[in-house]
Amino acid sequence: MPLDTSSGATRRAGSGGFFASLFGGNTGKTPSRSRTKRRQGILGELYLTALIPLALLVAYGLVVVWSASLTISDASVVRQGVGAAIGLVGAIAIWRYDYRAISNLTNVLLAIDIVLILLPNVPGLGVEGGGMTGWVRLPLIPFNFQPSEVAKIVTIFLMASATSQYNGRIDDFKEYAKLCGILCVPLFLLLIQDLGTGLVILFLGAAIIICGGAKRSWVLATIGIIVGAAALVVASSMTDGLPHILKEYQLKRLIVFVDPSVDPTGDGYNLQQAQIAVGSGGLFGKGIGNATQAGQGFLPEAHTDFVFALLSEEFGFIGALVLLALFAALIFSTILLAMRIEAPFGKLCLVGVVAMWSFQLLENIGMCLGMMPITGIPLPFISYGASSMVVQLIAGGIVQSVYAHRTKAA
């Protein structure tokens, strides 16, 4: 187990209260030496290997949104900045909080998950946006938030709590089926409301169960069942006389993924414009505020769903490469931390965070390049949206919390 470089700060936390634990305590020595100890205490509880790329991604995202706001009226760097500020407060709270206190609250977390997902359906609270009622209007605050984004964090804790009970080995198929059943509750509720977020929940939940010790044969059989069920859903949605489970726009997105020329004025148009934007950026891009595809309205949702296309057009291949490098540093540093953590709950929380970041990254970039179906999944830290920014920063806070409490993890 890794050694705790902040053991002095930990010993002082009990006698100095909250502020002593936050700043490393006061030993009564000279002010200069005391300040040095406090700085060492803070740095000893921060996983800088992940924190630095995360901070750079947030800064990069704010620059992209500001650039988009120069030509897109719906993009507001002020609102995005407010989201980043709220997310920072949430991340600090998670970092200072001992995340292990919720490791045995599976039932409570499941209830919270259900409430969050169903919250937009409450009369007077739900707000329609993007063709669905997935937002909630906050009282006394001129902002809406998307509860399904928060449900991602709750589901990470939920699945990590349920799966960590088996200490890395799920030997009984009934227990494996129980875990899959728990995951299906938020999954099915979200698939009805938002297919993209539902896929994120499916991926992160599956990653936690697999890394939690599920047998390979069970996992492969489950994948086969999911693929077969998905094929039946698509087939029924395309056949007259059978129940159409998929909505019309969802079915069109899948068809366009196979053949973009099928719907040249709809989703096929969006995909083609995204590809044009990515390619037209060249090596160094057209510069801030000079994205013609997005700025002149050719590329819809350029600041949200297709933000990678906007980024590539303005900052070019180099800008896209910098983005991927920052994400690689963030994701792989989190994986390395997960490999060092011995406590199953902390390890699986990190697995869920990595799975969420990785899937959203691959899906968002993939749909801009025509390699993945269009689902409307935001690019973490980059896409415009305060709810997404808050949740992604809280996920970063989870990483820092696991690191800060690693010495007691066993």
Side-chain angles (χ1 to χ4, degrees):
M1 183 181 300
L3 296 177
D4 182 8
T5 59
S6 60
S7 57
T10 305
R11 287 193 297 270
R12 292 190 295 270
S15 60
F18 173 77
F19 289 103
S21 64
L22 179 61
F23 296 109
N26 189 343
T27 62
K29 298 179 181 180
T30 60
S32 59
R33 297 186 63 183
S34 178
R35 285 193 295 269
T36 301
K37 289 291 185 180
R38 288 198 294 269
R39 287 194 296 268
Q40 290 175 349
I42 293 175
L43 292 177
E45 295 182 354
L46 286 172
Y47 188 40
L48 296 178
T49 312
L51 181 60
I52 293 174
L54 185 146
L56 292 175
L57 279 170
V58 172
Y60 199 175
L62 291 175
V63 171
V64 172
V65 172
W66 169 70
S67 176
S69 68
L70 299 177
T71 54
I72 302 175
S73 59
D74 291 337
S76 171
V77 69
V78 175
R79 285 178 176 264
Q80 192 77 343
V82 170
I86 297 174
L88 178 61
V89 173
I92 293 175
I94 291 290
W95 166 51
R96 300 308 303 169
Y97 179 73
D98 190 344
Y99 73 100
R100 294 166 297 163
I102 60 175
S103 61
N104 295 316
L105 300 179
T106 303
N107 293 333
V108 175
L109 291 167
L110 180 59
I112 294 174
D113 224 359
I114 294 173
V115 170
L116 282 171
I117 297 171
L118 296 180
L119 201 58
N121 298 316
V122 177
L125 289 180
V127 178
E128 184 175 349
M132 66 176 187
T133 306
W135 280 260
V136 169
R137 189 181 304 279
L138 297 175
L140 305 178
I141 301 177
F143 288 100
N144 301 329
F145 87 99
Q146 195 172 1
S148 60
E149 285 289 327
V150 184
K152 296 176 184 178
I153 298 296
V154 178
T155 304
I156 289 175
F157 285 135
L158 167 66
M159 296 310 301
S161 173
T163 308
S164 63
Q165 301 175 19
Y166 305 102
N167 294 316
R169 289 191 63 182
I170 307 174
D171 296 324
D172 191 342
F173 179 76
K174 291 182 179 179
E175 302 298 338
Y176 172 74
K178 176 183 176 181
L179 293 174
C180 292
I182 293 174
L183 176 61
C184 283
V185 174
L187 174 62
F188 287 156
L189 291 176
L190 274 171
L191 287 178
I192 298 173
Q193 184 182 108
D194 182 3
L195 176 61
T197 306
L199 292 176
V200 176
I201 294 293
L202 173 62
F203 190 82
L204 69 85
I208 291 174
I209 294 175
I210 293 172
C211 294
K215 291 185 178 180
R216 182 182 302 177
S217 58
W218 300 344
V219 174
L220 293 176
T222 305
I223 293 175
I225 293 173
I226 293 175
V227 172
L232 288 176
V233 168
V234 174
S236 66
S237 299
M238 297 178 64
T239 305
D240 295 334
L242 294 178
H244 289 192
I245 300 176
L246 290 177
K247 298 177 181 178
E248 184 177 357
Y249 78 90
Q250 294 173 334
L251 182 60
K252 284 184 177 180
R253 286 179 174 181
L254 291 176
I255 296 175
V256 163
F257 171 64
V258 178
D259 183 6
S261 63
V262 171
D263 187 17
T265 60
D267 288 310
Y269 170 84
N270 296 348
L271 175 57
Q272 292 174 2
Q273 293 301 318
Q275 291 174 325
I276 292 173
V278 172
S280 65
L283 184 60
F284 298 105
K286 299 177 180 178
I288 292 178
N290 294 324
T292 55
Q293 297 300 118
Q296 298 180 13
F298 295 107
L299 178 61
E301 305 298 333
H303 58 305
T304 54
D305 296 351
F306 295 101
V307 71
F308 178 76
L310 168 68
L311 182 150
S312 298
E313 185 176 11
E314 291 192 344
F315 300 99
F317 176 77
I318 298 299
L321 193 63
V322 169
L323 177 76
L324 294 177
L326 291 175
F327 268 112
L330 175 63
I331 291 172
F332 283 110
S333 63
T334 307
I335 292 174
L336 291 176
L337 178 60
M339 294 172 64
R340 295 166 53 189
I341 297 297
E342 296 181 6
F345 181 65
K347 185 186 293 287
L348 293 177
C349 283
L350 295 179
V351 168
V353 170
V354 167
M356 178 181 68
W357 284 338
S358 301
F359 183 78
Q360 292 195 209
L361 173 68
L362 294 175
E363 170 59 28
N364 186 277
I365 293 178
M367 73 179 190
C368 289
L369 299 177
M371 301 171 63
M372 299 289 283
I374 298 174
T375 56
I377 293 177
L379 183 60
F381 308 106
I382 308 298
S383 289
Y384 176 70
S387 297
S388 177
M389 178 66 81
V390 169
V391 167
Q392 300 305 329
L393 281 170
I394 289 177
I398 295 174
V399 176
Q400 298 301 322
S401 181
V402 173
Y403 180 79
H405 299 94
R406 69 197 183 282
T407 54
K408 303 176 184 178

